[in-house]
Every structure is written in C-alpha cells, then in structure tokens.
Amino acid sequence: MKAVCWMGKSKVETLTVADPQILNPHDAIIKITRTAICGSDLHLYDGFIPTMEAGDVLGHEFMGIVEETGKAVTNLKRGDRVVVPFTIACGSCAFCKKQLWSACDNTNPNAHLMEAAYGYSGSGLFGYSHMMGGYAGGQAQYARVPFANVGPLKIESDLPDEKVLFLSDIFPTGYMAAENAQIEPGDTVAVWGCGPVGQFAIASAFMLGAGRVIAIDRLPERLQMARSIGAITVDYSEEDVDVLTALKDLTGGMGPDSCIDAVGLEAHSSDLKGLYDSVKVALLLETDRPIVLRQAIQAVRKGGTLSIPGVYGGLLDKVPFGAAFGKGITMKMGQTNMHKYMKPLLNRIQQGQIDPTYIISHRITLDEAPDMYKIWRDKKENVTKIVIDPWATKQAA
Amino acid sequence: MSDALKEKPNAESLPKSNGAAVLIDGHYAPPPADKDGKLWVRTSARIEAEPQQCYDIWRDLENIPSWQEEIVEVRRTGEKTSHWVMRSGDKTIEWDSEILADEPGKRIAWHSIAGDAQNAGEVIFEKAPTGRGAFVTVLQEFRMGKLATAWETLIGRNPKQAVIENLRHLKAMAETGEIPRIEPQPHGQRGTVGEMKKSLYGEKVPVPSGTKERVSA
C-alpha cells in the first residue's frame, strides 16, 4: 500500500510499504477512505517529538471501511464505516473505566520509554513516535486498529466522510479544551491559536455557553474563519498590539474567565522572549517554546481556568508559576479522552448544530502530502486544514 | 495507633507488613540494593481483576511462554519442579526451578535449583485497598551469570526490565486478554540509525503471543 512516511526532520515521503495485518484478537484492518494532516504532525515534521524513527508511517486522523476483523471483534464487521480515534484504549483498565481513555494502561507496547520520561505511560497513539506506542499511522491506504470493539465509531447515517472525519481528533480535542475551560454561562473565553483545534475550541466554547470568545492568531485567513463563527479577533502581530492589554481592554480590565492555549510547544512570537526560547531550544537547553503558555497564565483572570489542548512534549523554561499560584488559577490539560466525546459530537453534527467541514482548505492525494507538509509548515497557501483521499490519483477539485 | 484521628471514612486497617517487604511495621521499605553479584528487582501492578485470576495466570506454568518474554518452554518435571527454556536469537539457556511456597490466590515463591540460571523470587497477589482490583508485587533476585548476561546482551533489555515488562504483560492479559504489540507492521526503510535504535524501542524483543491460538478470524 501507499503510506506517508517520516524519514527525518523536515523530510516526509510517500512510499510503497507492506499492508498491515491482524496481530491481536481485538484488531481490525481499516481500508482508509479519508485521512488528514494534523497541526501536531508538524511537531513531528519539525523534529520536536523524540523517538520518531525513519520509516514510521504518519497520520492519526483517519476513517474508513472495515476490511477484516480479529476473532475477538464483536462490534464491527466487514463493510462497516468507522471513524477511528487517534488514542488507542483497551476499555477495561482502571483508567478507561474512569473515562480517562487517553491514559489507558494497556495500549502502549513501549510504555517503558514513556515511563522513563513522564513517570507513567499514557495510551498508545497512531503515528506519533515510538514513545507513544510506535503504531503505524493512518496517512496510508490501510491501517491496523487495535481494540476495535472500543475505539472505532460506526457511522450509520449517510453523512459524507468529510463531515465526520474530524471526530478522529481535532473536534473532540477542541471540545475537550472548551470543557476543560470550565465555562459558565456568559463567560468570556480567550483562545490562542486559530488553527483547526482552536477553531473547534471556539465553536465548542460557544456551544458550552460562552458569551464572548476572543481569538488570537496572526494569519488573516484563520482570524477571518474565527470571526465567521462569531469570535472577536486579535492579531498579535499587528504593530502596537499587546495581547495582555488587548485582553484587558476587551474584558473591562478583569481578564478572560478562561484561557485556551491551542498552540502548544512551537509558539511563535515576534518579541525578545520568543528569540530567547528559539535560542534555548537550538542549544538543547529547552525542548518547548512556551510563549503562549506564559501569556495565558498572565492573562487569565484571578481564579480563572487555563485549558491546554496544545501539545507540550518536554521541558519548559521561565513558566510564571508564581502568577499561576498568586491568582489561584486552575489548569487542565492532556491528550483528548477521545472515546468520551465522539458519540455526543457525532450527534451534534447529525442534528446540524455544526458542520466541521468549514475548516478544510485543501484536498489532496497521498503523493501530494510531502509537499503539503512543507507548505503548511512554512505557512504558505493559506492552509487551515488538509484532507487526503488516499485512493485519489490526481488532485481533486 | 492513637485515636487522635477518628474520621477516616474509607481508610483500611493498615497492614503491619505485606508481601515482598514493601511495608514493614506500617512504614515503606525500599527494595533491596544490588550487591555481591546479586541483582534485585521489585515491581508491582494494580490490575482490574481478582487476585485469584492473576494467580491462576501465573500458576499455569506451561502457559508462561505466552506472556513472559523469551521463555519458549516451561515443562513440569515434578509436583513442585519445572524445567525452563529461554531462547534469544540462536542462544538458548535452560534451568530447573522449584516452587518453595504456593498459597492459591495469594503467593508463589520459587528458586532455581540447577542449570544456567540462578534466580529466586516471590510474587504476591493481594486485594488492592478499598477493593480496587488486585495488587500484584514481584520481588526477584538474580545472580550474575548466564541468565542475566544473556538477557542483557542478546535482548538489549536488562533482566530487571524484563521482570517489569513481564508483569506488564500479565496485567494486559488479565485485563484485556491480549498483549499490545506493533510488530510486524508496515514501515519505510529504517536506515542504519533506525536499526541501531531497534533495541531501545524494544523491537528486538518479540512480544509474547498472549495466546496459543491464531488471532485472525
């Protein structure tokens, strides 16, 4: 089959590799009909996530048709259409039972690597480094899906693939970010980063009762998209714009009730603090660039909540923990507990509350994927979301 | 214990001491330190199962190759004795083991009696506090010898880590009926560095089958 492989930092290739096979009784093989490139894939592209290995198949947002099932799979049969969550969960460990699906105990074959770095291992993920399980990803024509009774969400309506594809990661991730923000009716919520997760965090904040959402980014097409669903926008790159001042100006000096960092470890900044982090990362003195995190801790109101869906991987420097303590803020974060959100969010889509396709900017083939990684990383061609048809041979309209 | 604190709605009566010497007189005790050519490992897992179920998996000696790494055969040779075969690449080591204590649902202790390996250990099966599944604790010691050396050089995993991984496999078996694995799976050319890193990622150690049967339908 064809698959998009990580071949080193800033190097991605579409190669012909072996087809996946059933390895365990609860496995299923999915023939992938739609897949996507995630903003977090750019962290892999840029070499920020350790334990990627040349040859690893990328991709963790995918859906398709069940092709084959292992002998213990009872929920699915050949021909079913499913969306696959990017976190793999067993459904029977103590964490799955608590709905902390992304903390599953039994799905990371390389748990020892993550234990060394984080103390304990989270669940395995598709296509996201050996530390996170080493599972081959879904930017491919087929994928092996473990614990198929637990993860894949069956789509029985005639909704087109594109409308449900983002249930595989970014819609639930944006939704959990808004849920973690502990929004009370009428609250003001600030969202850093208006990429796909930020967009769904904005949409979800409104769905969960926010009165005002303030969206912060620098790319005009993303800010426009945020305005299109009702957010106030702040372009931090505009001359004389100071985000903290802007947020005070927009909240009567009180600060947002909740702040959502939908940027994560590769934040950009035009000021000196940004340069400081770039230098430290280059010298391996720091792994992440926590520019947004610092700003959000400063910005949130006293007793407010900071929700962090943006990915952080390692060690952060100069995090103003005194401000966090001094204001008594709550911080909530983590990989998305996918399995908890997929069905309720599918219902919202089916009821017409939201059409997630509004974020799609590019539709491509597998062969075009390597170029698109570069184009997106370099923030060219106004990319917001790239969807791949793994069976298309030339670019669709 | 004084009665200074009377409001402890969910507290269990504190065990004075427990298996594998984690607690002595209500106080935590660290695992024994390595010395004089003896390596110790102590590891524990909380498992969503009854202690008896975990005991049953462990006590089914002939089935041990389905969840312990690199063990290819365990053969009963007597009421309390068994013969163990471990294979890694083209190297094979064999030893005999004797069960010293066997308390169904609670505890198994053993030591090696002959062959290429000198090891001894015990595994304790307890109810976790407030009934939250089982605590399984393994305390094992090795003498440096063919066993430890073979493990370390051939498998790229030291024997301590192997004990930890085996308990992880037991937990996965008890909770899900399978052991997570990724090999063999599709990938592009690994390159030289990738080959070298294979042992780091545990990809040189075949994950035990987790089952005696074929897995596809």
Side-chain angles (χ1 to χ4, degrees), chain A residues 1 7 17-18 21 23-26 51 53-57 69-71 90 92-94 97 105-106 110-113 115 130 133-136 144 147, chain B residues 46 48 157 161 165 168 171-172 175-190 193-194 197 200-203 209 213-217:
Chain A
M1 66 165 183
M7 301 305 287
V17 300
Q21 46 181 300
L23 303 179
N24 266 344
H26 295 97
T51 73
E53 207 41 67
D56 286 347
V57 179
T69 54
K71 69 181 175 67
C90 77
S92 41
C93 70
K97 285 181 181 173
D105 261 346
N106 292 318
N110 294 324
H112 62 285
L113 293 177
E115 279 175 353
H130 286 261
Y135 290 94
R144 165 191 166 237
F147 294 107
Chain B
R46 208 198 97 188
E48 288 288 296
R157 181 170 273 174
Q161 190 64 30
E165 295 307 320
R168 203 194 307 280
K171 173 181 157 79
E175 291 186 339
T176 74
E178 64 182 57
I179 299 172
R181 74 192 61 243
I182 57 171
E183 294 292 327
Q185 71 173 352
H187 58 77
Q189 284 292 323
R190 287 294 190 200
V193 180
K197 283 191 185 163
L200 171 67
Y201 299 155
E203 289 172 2
S209 70
E213 302 156 40
R214 277 173 48 83
V215 289
S216 31

Side-chain angles (χ1 to χ4, degrees), chain A residues 9-12 41-47 373-374 377:
Chain A
K9 189 178 167 182
S10 301
K11 200 172 169 205
V12 161
D41 288 329
L42 295 180
H43 302 323
L44 303 175
Y45 189 68
D46 288 340
Y373 268 87
K374 185 163 169 30
R377 196 268 311 268

Side-chain angles (χ1 to χ4, degrees), chain A residues 268-279:
Chain A
H268 291 273
S269 163
S270 40
D271 67 11
L272 274 175
K273 285 203 291 287
L275 183 64
Y276 169 85
D277 287 302
S278 296
V279 170

Side-chain angles (χ1 to χ4, degrees), chain A residues 14 28 52 69 77 113 117 124 126 237 264 347 380 387:
Chain A
T14 301
M52 283 300 289
T69 54
K77 58 178 193 312
L113 293 177
F126 290 102
S237 69
N347 289 340
K380 295 190 175 141
V387 171

